[in-house]
Amino acid sequence: MSAIELRNENKKFLSGDEAVAEGVKLCRPDVIAAYPITPQTVIVEKLSEFVASKEMDCQYLHVESEHSAMAASMGASMMGSRTFTATSSQGLLYMCEMLHYVSGSRFPIVMVNANRTVAAPWNIFGDHRDSLSQRDSGWMQVYVENGQEALDMVIQSYKIAENQSVSTPIMINLDGFVLTHTYELVSIPEQNQVDEFLPPYSTTNKFDFENPKSLCFTASPEWQTEFRYQQYEAMENAKKVIQEVDKEFSQVFGRTYGGMVEEYHCSDADYILVAMGSVAGTAKIVVDKLRKQGKKVGLVKLRFYRPFPKEYFKKLGKKAKAVGVIDRDISFGYEGAVYSDVKAALFSQGADVKTINFIAGISGRDITKEFLAEMYSQLEAIGNGDKVEEIQFTGLRWK
Amino acid sequence: MVSVKNLPDKELFYGHKACQGCGAAIVARLAMKILGERTCVALPASCISSVTTIYPQMSFFVNNMTSSFPATGAVLSGMAAAVKAQGLKEVNVLGLAGDGGTIDIGIQALSGAIERGDDFLYICYDNEAYMNTGIQRSGLTPYGAWTTTTPTNNNDIGEKKFKKNLFEILIAHRIPYAATANVAYPNDLLKKLEKAKGIRGPKVLHILAPCPTGWGYKTEETIEIGRLAVQTGLWYLAEYENNEVTLNYRPKDFKPVKEYLAKQKRFRHLKDADFQVIEEHRDEEWKILERHLRKDEE
Ligand SMILES: Cc1ncc(C[n+]2csc(CCOP(=O)(O)OP(=O)(O)O)c2C)c(N)n1
Ligand code: SF4
Ligand SMILES: [Mg+2]
């Protein structure tokens, strides 16, 4: 990167958390309510600084817990304000009750979750156990690969969530430490471009003094099904909106992420790994290396876990010989949650494809290039008819 | 000054499904009379939300929502922050919560909201148990009360702890305005509602709201029961502002607590010795209150 380019593009050397904070600033939320937890803390510290220095015109609420962070965000959202919050791990679990209140009442709150495992055993490092446990909370979930994508997804997320056909909250997942605390050059979009891309929040799902409303109410069994159907429909609508917003974003800012999934060398690939978050970056390097050796390998970076790109995997099941899914978590008593979902979609059209679940990157353990290369060779083996274990704990010490 | 004689005509709370004689419903109606149309109400899970906001019905004719049981204070903070951020004028943010939603599961969120100094009015209507879920004890259930979780079989006394003192908890926050009130003293209550409406920052009213269903008395006796609570000294009417406590009404002599307690089924099992325990505790509570009172009242 030359110095000239640096100056023109307004690039900054930022950690993932700082990139998030820059993104939030550009989106001009009216209210921020957040509670600190490692490795999210830098986000709330940065935002506090922006508010204190008046770089942001925003009400910052020092709430006394994550439950209250989400409750206060909900209170502000129902008044028609744009809101932001961030959390991680134990904090996400602590606000769990409120996640359902917010999604069920259809408030488009944007939250960043710095992925970290959950106790016990206590550990502050990253895996996806926190967010995956909230799969059915009614929130959209997107997983990003680097700081740039984190910043860009904050902007995109408001646009997706606030779309009136979606009106559903969204959780942006950022791998703890590997992304939150790792520095990289991040291009900061121009404020006027963001303003144009993302107009102020406007909704009918808010209090109205001319025509008072009951929001977030009680619904009897007579009506609950209809409200759930609307949530279902909103998530289906989101699939289209996600693609459109990514396209529009690329036209304005010159960066595209592919919407629901990003494919890397998949068009002719026989052996495909599916991964979420930062590991996708390492996996791309491994794919490049193996491709040079003539191996037909590819990577699917699963970006959106909810809504889930079912249609995409249905098609993939017909093309690939073997698909491996990396889960940075496991649903004890079954298998990795992402694996279950990918598998169900792959096979839903009766495809003939072999699958393996790699349980890896637990509580911050590295998923090395060597591990990834080994995963591809396992896929090749199963593709060639060898017997291979379906659920594999990558790098396990004991067996 | 507003009183029961010149209440605004406009009804903003009606068509609800509360029991006849419900003290909480009286609180809601009077609060809405004073606060008026530009009010946003947050109700946690409780009797008052269950009898008012079941889709497609709405018994509050102002903007309203049902908050999660623990979160009322935080929801109010969020609303108040949005009012500020959007520069809205003359909007009242009101929380209306039961005793359980306030003193037990909601105390953290309420404490945080008061500490932050956000502009809201929080009303705790105190029916002295979790009524919505079928009369289970709360931290504000009085000593000796039967509830479904403090049974009185085998000569058991029922609830074995005395009521937590919410008013003192509020004073410890140095809140701009806190008061106790009672549906049986509507003019005092209305005066406090009006005063709270005029003060910026957090305000909390703790209002005794007798409950015929949970306490076991006839539905037409709500006001009488409420009065007896004050006359026996088991409830006081007081205010806190500017670091001072004012007593709004001082009974000449306390009536025997038995006159209040024996009227309610939940205390039916109590004996004279129990009444004595309760009176001793009452006297202790008053001593603590007297220490808070302004000098010129002593
Ligand atoms: C987190 C949570 N725990 C428990 C409940 C069940 N619950 C709903 S209302 C209620 C009791 C409410 O008591 P109180 O606040 O005194 O109001 P009241 O019903 O007496 O009016 C309980 C325990 C709940 N809704 N949420
Ligand atoms: S149970 Fe008590 S508080 Fe609840 S509606 Fe009936 S009278 Fe009111
Ligand atoms: Mg109660």
Side-chain angles (χ1 to χ4, degrees):
Chain A
M1 191 69 49
S2 76
I4 294 160
E5 242 178 307
L6 271 177
R7 240 178 285 129
N8 287 349
E9 238 194 275
N10 188 22
K11 286 202 174 197
K12 285 190 189 166
F13 195 56
L14 297 176
S15 69
D17 274 353
E18 290 170 342
V20 165
E22 291 285 347
V24 173
K25 185 172 84 172
L26 288 165
C27 294
R28 303 184 189 275
D30 306 294
V31 177
I32 294 172
Y35 192 81
I37 177 167
T38 305
Q40 152 268 37
T41 37
V42 176
I43 300 176
V44 299
E45 290 165 3
K46 268 275 151 207
L47 290 172
S48 302
E49 282 169 24
F50 289 150
V51 174
S53 65
K54 304 214 160 44
E55 279 175 79
M56 281 180 84
D57 179 16
C58 172
Q59 297 294 316
Y60 188 104
L61 290 172
H62 299 99
V63 283
E64 77 302 325
S65 75
E66 288 86 356
H67 193 281
S68 286
M70 192 46 70
S73 302
M74 179 171 85
S77 187
M78 78 176 63
M79 302 287 298
S81 283
R82 181 173 286 163
T83 63
F84 177 79
T85 188
T87 191
S88 176
S89 181
Q90 313 300 131
L92 185 69
L93 300 193
Y94 200 63
M95 63 168 65
C96 165
E97 180 190 33
M98 293 313 304
L99 296 180
H100 291 258
Y101 265 83
V102 165
S103 61
S105 309
R106 311 289 302 280
F107 299 121
I109 292 170
V110 173
M111 168 164 71
V112 166
N113 180 54
N115 281 115
R116 157 179 158 181
T117 196
V118 297
W122 183 267
N123 177 309
I124 58 167
F125 296 101
D127 66 32
H128 295 160
R129 189 162 190 78
D130 53 359
S131 51
L132 291 180
S133 78
Q134 300 308 309
R135 182 189 72 181
D136 295 338
S137 62
W139 282 59
M140 292 184 276
Q141 287 195 11
V142 60
Y143 292 76
V144 300
E145 185 185 327
N146 53 44
Q148 184 70 62
E149 190 178 357
L151 185 155
D152 291 345
M153 277 320 289
V154 171
I155 301 168
Q156 286 201 24
S157 289
Y158 279 107
K159 186 116 172 156
I160 296 164
E162 291 174 2
N163 182 299
Q164 287 295 282
S165 77
V166 178
S167 202
T168 293
I170 183 163
M171 186 190 302
I172 303 164
N173 290 283
L174 180 71
D175 282 321
F177 293 103
V178 172
L179 296 182
T180 58
H181 287 62
T182 303
Y183 282 74
E184 62 181 276
L185 270 179
V186 177
S187 168
I188 316 281
E190 295 295 328
Q191 183 69 61
N192 59 356
Q193 284 185 308
V194 176
D195 289 344
E196 209 168 303
F197 179 78
L198 183 71
Y201 176 40
S202 157
T203 180
T204 52
N205 189 30
K206 65 168 186 174
F207 282 166
D208 177 351
F209 292 101
E210 302 306 314
N211 181 21
K213 281 184 194 163
S214 196
L215 298 177
C216 192
F217 38 72
T218 306
S220 64
E222 248 181 295
W223 286 104
Q224 193 76 287
T225 307
E226 283 65 28
F227 287 116
R228 292 304 187 213
Y229 177 75
Q230 288 183 342
Q231 276 181 271
Y232 164 80
E233 214 181 19
M235 277 279 197
E236 291 302 310
N237 295 343
K239 292 179 180 174
K240 196 165 141 248
V241 174
I242 287 162
Q243 301 299 137
E244 287 167 359
V245 167
D246 187 61
K247 199 165 158 214
E248 199 185 325
F249 187 89
S250 76
Q251 283 157 4
V252 181
F253 302 100
R255 285 182 296 276
T256 176
Y257 295 98
M260 303 276 286
V261 296
E262 182 196 327
E263 288 189 312
Y264 194 71
H265 291 295
C266 285
S267 55
D268 66 338
D270 292 330
Y271 307 110
I272 291 178
L273 267 181
V274 179
M276 302 198 300
S278 57
V279 69
T282 325
K284 285 173 186 171
I285 297 169
V286 174
V287 168
D288 288 344
K289 203 173 135 200
L290 295 176
R291 281 265 163 188
K292 272 192 200 135
Q293 296 166 16
K295 307 228 183 251
K296 287 183 145 186
V297 295
L299 171 78
V300 173
K301 180 172 122 190
L302 178 55
R303 300 185 71 243
F304 275 83
Y305 182 53
R306 286 293 178 276
F308 188 77
K310 180 175 162 185
E311 297 73 15
Y312 171 80
F313 284 110
K314 266 187 191 173
K315 286 192 204 128
L316 191 76
K318 298 211 154 150
K319 302 198 306 201
K321 282 193 187 154
V323 174
V325 178
I326 300 177
D327 260 286
R328 298 192 62 185
D329 180 34
I330 184 164
S331 174
F332 299 117
Y334 195 20
E335 59 197 8
V338 183
Y339 180 60
S340 294
D341 286 347
V342 169
K343 209 171 48 166
L346 284 175
F347 290 124
S348 66
Q349 304 262 302
D352 180 26
V353 53
K354 300 279 183 287
T355 60
I356 307 175
N357 190 191
F358 300 104
I359 308 298
I362 299 299
S363 304
R365 192 179 288 187
D366 276 349
I367 307 177
T368 61
K369 284 181 242 168
E370 292 69 33
F371 282 151
L372 290 161
E374 173 59 20
M375 289 175 194
Y376 279 113
S377 65
Q378 293 277 321
L379 287 175
E380 213 177 325
I382 200 171
N384 291 333
D386 292 359
K387 259 205 145 87
V388 170
E389 240 180 287
E390 188 188 8
I391 313 288
Q392 303 188 11
F393 276 65
T394 301
L396 185 68
R397 287 210 183 81
W398 321 301
K399 193 95 183 201
Chain B
M1 181 162 292
V2 70
S3 79
V4 284
K5 295 210 179 93
N6 61 5
L7 269 181
D9 285 335
K10 185 110 189 159
E11 294 293 346
L12 292 169
F13 177 74
Y14 57 91
H16 58 79
K17 299 176 192 158
C19 313
Q20 275 186 26
C22 173
I26 301 174
V27 170
R29 177 167 174 259
L30 294 183
M32 291 323 304
K33 288 258 180 202
I34 301 301
L35 295 176
E37 287 170 276
R38 286 179 67 80
T39 303
C40 301
V41 189
L43 314 154
S46 60
C47 268
I48 208 70
S49 75
S50 300
V51 302
T52 58
T53 61
I54 301 181
Y55 180 85
Q57 286 168 335
M58 170 164 138
S59 311
F60 281 93
F61 290 81
V62 295
N63 291 308
N64 67 83
M65 61 81 65
T66 302
S67 104
S68 74
F69 193 30
T72 313
V75 171
L76 298 179
S77 274
M79 288 181 179
V83 167
K84 236 179 170 175
Q86 295 175 29
L88 299 176
K89 293 281 173 282
E90 277 158 40
V91 171
N92 299 305
V93 171
L94 171 68
L96 190 54
D99 45 294
T102 302
I103 205 76
D104 296 335
I105 201 165
I107 192 80
Q108 174 181 319
L110 175 60
S111 176
I114 297 171
E115 179 198 313
R116 284 187 292 275
D118 300 324
D119 187 19
F120 62 84
L121 170 59
Y122 185 107
I123 294 177
C124 169
Y125 67 88
D126 188 357
N127 54 24
E128 303 195 319
Y130 299 162
M131 294 309 175
N132 186 43
T133 38
I135 326 178
Q136 293 88 23
R137 61 102 41 202
S138 82
L140 288 179
T141 298
Y143 177 86
W146 165 90
T147 69
T148 52
T149 50
T150 52
T152 52
N153 326 329
N154 310 320
N155 289 326
D156 209 320
I157 182 93
E159 174 59 51
K160 291 179 194 61
K161 294 177 210 78
F162 293 98
K163 264 175 102 81
K164 230 189 272 189
N165 193 316
L166 175 59
F167 189 51
E168 301 236 0
I169 292 173
L170 296 168
I171 292 173
H173 284 77
R174 308 294 178 255
I175 187 171
Y177 184 66
T180 62
N182 180 320
V183 293
Y185 293 81
N187 283 340
D188 176 74
L189 169 56
L190 291 165
K191 197 185 76 192
K192 288 168 178 172
L193 282 164
E194 211 173 36
K195 191 170 194 175
K197 187 183 176 184
I199 295 172
R200 300 277 66 83
K203 289 87 55 180
V204 178
L205 300 186
H206 182 198
I207 306 174
L208 188 70
C211 160
T213 313
W215 297 10
Y217 64 82
K218 292 203 207 80
T219 54
E220 65 270 25
E221 291 172 343
T222 293
I223 301 304
E224 188 186 340
I225 293 280
R227 284 215 185 102
L228 281 168
V230 170
Q231 289 163 352
T232 54
L234 290 179
W235 188 270
Y236 52 71
L237 304 176
E239 276 174 303
Y240 168 84
E241 59 184 322
N242 305 323
N243 282 326
E244 282 177 340
V245 176
T246 312
L247 189 63
N248 306 106
Y249 172 72
R250 185 183 286 277
K252 270 207 195 78
D253 297 299
F254 292 143
K255 286 187 176 171
V257 294
K258 188 175 175 178
E259 284 189 33
Y260 169 65
L261 302 173
K263 272 187 154 312
Q264 306 170 43
K265 273 200 197 133
R266 61 177 175 154
F267 296 117
R268 174 167 66 179
H269 54 286
L270 297 188
K271 306 199 171 57
D272 285 341
D274 303 321
F275 296 138
Q276 205 181 328
V277 171
I278 291 170
E279 285 181 349
E280 278 165 17
H281 181 259
R282 171 198 64 192
D283 296 344
E284 284 303 311
E285 281 293 307
W286 274 82
K287 271 188 212 154
I288 296 169
L289 174 66
E290 303 284 359
R291 286 208 293 269
H292 281 300
L293 290 180
R294 286 160 50 177
K295 289 276 177 305
D296 53 351
E297 272 197 43
E298 278 173 2

